[in-house]
Amino acid sequence: MKYELILFDADETLFDFKKSERYAFMESLSDFKINYDKEECMKIYSEINTAIWKEFEKGTITSDKLKVERFNRLFKRLSVDKDAEKFSKAYMNHLSEASFIYNEAFEILDYLKDKYRLAIITNGLLDVQNKRIRESKIEHYFQEIIISDEIKIAKPMAKIFDYTLEKLNFKDKSKVLMIGDSLTSDIQGGINAEIDTCWFNVNNKEKPKDMDITYVINNILELKNIL
């Protein structure tokens, strides 16, 4: 058996974050009585949120600033006069309660649990991820759940992987596999940490020629064939 430790990303790998995000955002719009086309508003927010998390991965914005700044940018785009900080708190409260897990996640974790050590490394806000993931229906599968906001280190930095291995008292990187959907955080992070990677390419995108990705899967259950 080549691998002994399997590291998972959380959102869009095991958890349906898009569903959680949509739920929290729509609830917050209703809370604040924002009279704007909700679908268009969701589209604009998704663009802003994706861009600002890329800034976070590059280290150009802190997690504390990110929480509110994304809504400042949204309200500016919409010309809406609302308190971004209060909206952010409402949104994160709703998001923390929105733990939607892919059905396939239960099947693959049941398959792996007695064969490998399992852990999660997630880039996310502690107030949100603590409840969504650490108190989720699958938390018991994992020996460690590492949240970037809690330790102030984020993917794709190699340090978050090194921190996780140290917490698990696991030293042999050749026996570690990182699985995730994000090329810029999960896969690049694994490469930076010098561990094997498995890109969960659910949208069947073209594999980048400049990235040394160990495996590519389109369905999480394909891990059975690899492992």
Side-chain angles (χ1 to χ4, degrees):
M1 186 182 297
K2 180 176 181 180
Y3 300 109
E4 295 179 7
L5 172 61
I6 312 299
L7 305 177
F8 280 94
D9 170 51
D11 290 322
E12 296 304 303
T13 300
L14 300 173
F15 293 79
D16 188 342
F17 183 73
K18 290 179 181 177
K19 185 176 180 180
S20 299
E21 181 181 54
R22 181 179 180 83
Y23 166 82
F25 189 71
M26 293 301 181
E27 289 294 308
S28 301
L29 288 179
S30 296
D31 291 347
F32 282 75
K33 297 179 173 58
I34 295 177
N35 297 318
Y36 197 94
D37 182 273
K38 288 188 175 182
E39 293 302 326
E40 181 64 18
C41 201
M42 182 78 219
K43 180 181 178 182
I44 295 171
Y45 169 71
S46 294
E47 292 172 1
I48 291 170
N49 195 48
T50 297
I52 206 167
W53 276 103
K54 296 296 183 188
E55 293 174 30
F56 175 74
E57 289 174 10
K58 294 176 182 177
T60 58
I61 190 169
T62 65
S63 59
D64 285 338
K65 186 174 182 181
L66 177 152
K67 295 176 187 178
V68 178
E69 176 60 23
R70 54 187 171 179
F71 297 115
N72 275 323
R73 296 181 189 182
L74 174 66
F75 295 155
K76 185 176 181 179
R77 282 271 299 273
L78 301 179
S79 298
V80 171
D81 185 19
K82 296 292 182 180
D83 188 316
E85 186 170 356
K86 289 181 179 179
F87 190 93
S88 174
K89 289 179 180 178
Y91 171 79
M92 288 195 294
N93 183 57
H94 287 305
L95 188 59
S96 70
E97 297 171 350
S99 184
F100 303 113
I101 303 166
Y102 292 122
N103 290 332
E104 294 86 352
F106 292 97
E107 182 176 342
I108 195 62
L109 293 174
D110 273 332
Y111 175 80
L112 298 175
K113 66 179 181 180
D114 296 325
K115 303 176 179 70
Y116 305 92
R117 298 177 69 183
L118 306 177
I120 282 178
I121 304 178
T122 176
N123 277 0
L125 304 174
L126 180 60
D127 292 344
V128 172
Q129 302 297 64
N130 202 37
K131 191 168 185 179
R132 283 186 63 245
I133 298 174
R134 283 199 176 129
E135 297 180 21
S136 73
K137 293 180 180 179
I138 61 173
E139 61 83 23
H140 63 281
Y141 289 104
F142 301 98
Q143 293 184 9
E144 289 288 344
I145 295 175
I146 306 300
I147 301 172
S148 64
D149 190 38
E150 185 171 36
I151 63 172
K152 304 306 177 187
I153 312 170
K155 297 176 291 187
M157 294 178 67
K159 285 183 179 180
I160 195 169
F161 295 89
D162 294 338
Y163 175 91
T164 303
L165 297 189
E166 186 174 340
K167 286 276 286 184
L168 291 165
N169 193 28
F170 196 92
K171 302 184 185 303
D172 190 349
K173 287 187 176 183
S174 70
K175 295 182 178 180
V176 182
L177 180 66
M178 174 66 201
I179 302 160
D181 68 296
S182 172
L183 288 171
T184 56
S185 63
D186 305 319
I187 304 308
Q188 188 59 56
I191 291 170
N192 291 345
E194 298 181 329
I195 62 176
D196 284 359
T197 57
C198 179
W199 180 30
F200 181 28
N201 183 17
V202 68
N203 293 317
N204 200 28
K205 296 179 181 178
E206 185 176 353
K207 180 182 177 181
K209 295 179 181 179
D210 59 345
M211 295 187 78
D212 186 17
I213 305 171
T214 316
Y215 309 101
V216 180
I217 58 174
N218 303 117
N219 185 304
I220 201 71
L221 297 179
E222 291 175 42
L223 283 173
K224 293 181 181 180
N225 299 329
I226 295 171
L227 299 171

